[in-house]
Amino acid sequence: MIAKPAIPDVLREPGPGIGKPLSRVDGPLKVTGQARYAAEFNVPGLVHGYIVSSTITKGRITRIDTAAALRRPGVLHVFTHENRPHVAWFDRKWKDEDAPSGSPFRPLYDDRIVHAMQPVALVVAETFEAAREGARLVQVEYEAEPHETDLAARRHEAFTPGKEKGGFEPPPKPRGDPDRALAEAAVKVDVEYVQPTEHHNPMEMHGSTVVYNDDGTLTVHDKTQGAPNSHSWVCSVFGLSKSAVRVISPFVGGAFGSGLRPQHQLFMAVMAALQLKRSVRVELSRPQMFTFGHRPPTIQRVALGAAPDGTLQAMIHEAVQESSQFENYVEIVVNWSGQQYRCDNVRLDYKLARLDVFTPLDMRAPGAATGVPAIEMAMDELAHALRMDPVELRLRNYTDRDPNQDKPFSSKELRACFAQGAERFGWSRRNPQPRSMREGRQLIGWGVASGVWDAMQGQADARATLGIDGHLVVASATADIGTGTYTVMSQIAAGTLGLPIGNVTFKLGDSALPMAPIEGGSWTVSSVGSAVLAACERVRGRLYKLAAKMEGAPLGKAKPADMVLTDGHVALAADPARRVPIAEVMRSGGVLAIEEEARSVPYYVKRAQHTLATHSAVFAEVRVDEDLGTVQVSRIVSAVAAGRIINPKTAGSQVMGGVVMGIGMALEEETFMDHGLGRYMNHDLAEYHVPVNADIGSIDVIFVDEHDEVVNPLGAKGVGEIGIVGVPAAIANAVFHATGVRVRELPITLDKVLAGLSRRSAA
Amino acid sequence: MAEAEFSTLVEVSLRVNGERVSRRVEARRHLIDFLRLDLGLTGSHAGCEHGVCGACTVRVDGEIVRGCLTLAAQLDGADVWTIEGLSDTGEVRDLQQAFVARNALQCGYCTPGMLATCADLLERSPAPSRAEIREHISGNYCRCTGYEAIIDAVETVAAARRAATGQVAIGQATIGETAE
């Protein structure tokens, strides 16, 4: 262990109030390499497991021969479907917090193969290398069956899913007569957009270290977005009591949704530890990171009809999306279109097609990052057809009520996003004519798009313990996947109790802590932050009561309502100079610590009367090489309205990260399927392209003021998703403005640009 | 049999973070696994396992290398520095401070490798442009931060280091002029 002092002293920065740009409190541990991730807990006697992946896509295992693997020195055991220990039988036992309807995948359950690279065995050995070598020596024979992995081939057999999953809303019923309105519209576009499979690819591969304790209990270090989710799943699948397992996950090397469901490595490591009575680590290899869920490929039709002044008269948005044969993965793809724009004739339609793939999995802004780019590219096409500025077209059809549900928004400062973003970007200088800007052989284009995401909230618990030494410990079983949970929760707590941020410790990522939902969907500040606020307010209330009863009445006859907490003191609100140190208040009341636990529940009634959403306006500048077709994003301005921003520094970073992932979506990211084999071809980081530093130009983030009293007591909506949503369309629209070429199939790679340029010059 | 050779034990003696280390390692063990598993230096991370992402970047004999493409058995007599050692000596403290102050990290998984690469850049090029910084650290993937803050942090440190050494240079020049 390194015992050197932490490097930067972020705890002495000015603060701690809500809204201050504090540096992340976990920063010092991370820049010195002391933050421990799931596969970094080394314990004596630890053994290693390596997963064997199937070489067919569909069929069954006819024979599995582990003899050669078992002969290798160091190999301890090979688990297969033939010798695995008993696991749960009912589907419901395999459900986790993020499971859609259907029958969850069960590793090593039987001889069926339902997707490519399915786990078929686990080799456990004394060393990682011996396990990996053993995995190569396991011989598996299969009886293959025909598979189908091509969405285009199954799109006409797609079905309309039901509710399927919490948080999913099927599209609203059609309004008016969209087909007729489209036919009669003066100006129209009717186009199809195609989006590919993407994989989350957090930098840390999924790993679990399961420590087998002397008393037979398990301490599980898991890469997860919810320690309680992993915990209850493990207990349910293996029939263990809640007290026999503890899941810990203090640091997570990125996830973007990949850790929302318990992944293969968790099952494998727990199974092996229970059977072998030893501590076991299983890490997925990078290619295996492509075997457990992805952003699903989607084909969308968007048809818009408008009057010559730009008023929308018809909107049809239809999506067909991939799901697996065994679960109905759903996300909200098309609803956003009907929510963003006022239009009397609307049809929104969402269907699933079953393919022989693993079930898709929520990936950053699931659904919105797919559907919003389609409507926002179509709006750009419509603006061009109307010879109208694309910002003006959006404002022409702006709505302050959600037309889908006929409810007001709890707050919606999207107009201000457009205004401030346009101002910062210099949008007013834009010549609407495509190909109107160039520097040598570089064609320059400016594009715009809006973004939207839900402002969700779930129930969460938090516990706050204030010691007489002035140190506050706040705990909730939530996660920090890099988002800044440690920091913003510390900030909310410190702000509520008037303590320096250095006096606050926030604990998370532990199934033994007060309950919190999986961290995802931008709802952690809303859910857990509200619980932290509530717990700290209770502590504050008790301090005030103690202060009111103090001997000698140092605050006079002040009632709790007359008091404030500031700088470690209880003070009079009207005269802050009259104050008593917290420690003195507690000593006088005879308490060494004040502990309070609180559960926050959403404002169900107020929420039900409103639509709650974050919004953004994204402006992009691209440079397209006319000869090579390469696209460089030189500038992005993203103006975001997300309620109150607890910490502009960490929130700004979230949005910038979302912008870069959006650049990836627009220009680079695609998991290629070889439909003949039914396998992903580019399942590694060399061939699955994510943006690197050289791909990025300047990124400017604006947070627009937005006041919201419906969303939660903090007024904060969350920012994890909104950063990505508007970006792909803004870039695609900028590419059109630069080149006059519409690429409707993401990512916009140079081959598609060049093909468009040559079609254009041929015409 | 060829496979048997991979598990042959090889004696290596090297220095890691200034400390002498002698171990018998399997010929097939990568440097990154040697550091993480044998020495418990888990600050260096594996991300792609084939030299693309840079999360395992460490310094060997003054050059940055990929821990996932280097075998431990190759390193007899080598001088290896990881984030733990670079932190202890204070060599990258200004970079670390700037990374935290600028929020040039989120999940932190790429950060130790990123710091090693940034330190390498500033050693070679004290006044890099933003484009040069981007180019030099493009072999270090970050999936979280949006990169912008990383460039800001490196640029800040480069300027601060130049200012610090610049003052020395001015001081020397003044002395020189006086002597004339």
Side-chain angles (χ1 to χ4, degrees), chain A residues 81 89 212 257 278 324 329 351 416 598 689 732:
Chain A
H81 68 281
W89 189 76
Y212 190 85
R278 293 193 63 170
S324 68
Y329 172 83
K351 288 192 168 69
H689 291 178

Side-chain angles (χ1 to χ4, degrees), chain A residues 538-713:
Chain A
R538 286 189 185 178
V539 170
R540 187 172 66 190
R542 284 191 46 197
L543 273 174
Y544 287 168
K545 276 189 193 158
L546 291 176
K549 281 192 234 157
M550 273 179 86
E551 217 168 298
L555 298 179
K557 290 183 179 165
K559 297 197 169 56
D562 307 323
M563 301 178 193
V564 289
L565 276 175
T566 173
D567 197 21
H569 292 71
V570 181
L572 283 184
D575 177 14
R578 266 186 85 182
R579 58 187 208 168
V580 196
I582 286 174
E584 213 168 291
V585 173
M586 290 171 73
R587 198 175 305 119
S588 138
V591 294
L592 288 173
I594 299 176
E595 182 168 296
E596 288 287 344
E597 193 162 323
R599 166 166 301 178
S600 73
V601 291
Y603 297 142
Y604 290 117
V605 176
K606 274 201 277 182
R607 279 180 157 259
Q609 294 160 352
H610 296 85
T611 291
L612 297 97
T614 52
H615 296 93
S616 69
V618 181
F619 296 81
E621 176 184 276
V622 300
R623 287 160 181 267
V624 183
D625 188 296
E626 201 175 4
D627 301 311
L628 303 175
T630 50
V631 181
Q632 176 85 28
V633 180
S634 41
R635 252 181 343 128
I636 294 271
V637 173
S638 178
V640 172
R644 180 190 269 173
I645 301 302
I646 306 291
N647 182 330
K649 191 183 282 192
T650 53
S653 185
Q654 279 290 298
V655 175
M656 283 196 279
V659 166
V660 167
M661 211 170 261
I663 293 172
M665 187 178 221
L667 303 178
E668 302 185 44
E669 295 192 36
E670 174 171 18
T671 319
F672 293 92
M673 175 68 85
D674 178 328
H675 295 302
L677 294 171
R679 286 166 70 96
Y680 296 124
M681 293 187 280
N682 56 333
H683 57 186
D684 58 58
L685 286 187
E687 302 302 330
Y688 182 92
H689 291 178
V690 301
V692 300
N693 231 305
D695 297 329
I696 305 305
S698 96
I699 302 170
D700 202 349
V701 177
I702 300 168
F703 286 115
V704 167
D705 282 341
E706 190 175 69
H707 183 75
D708 196 312
E709 294 185 359
V710 176
V711 62
N712 54 47

Side-chain angles (χ1 to χ4, degrees), chain A residues 84-89 94 106-109 236-239 267 271:
Chain A
R84 62 154 174 83
H86 175 76
V87 289
W89 189 76
W94 293 80
R106 308 170 180 202
L108 306 190
Y109 196 75
S236 169
V237 164
F238 291 98
F267 173 89
M271 171 190 69

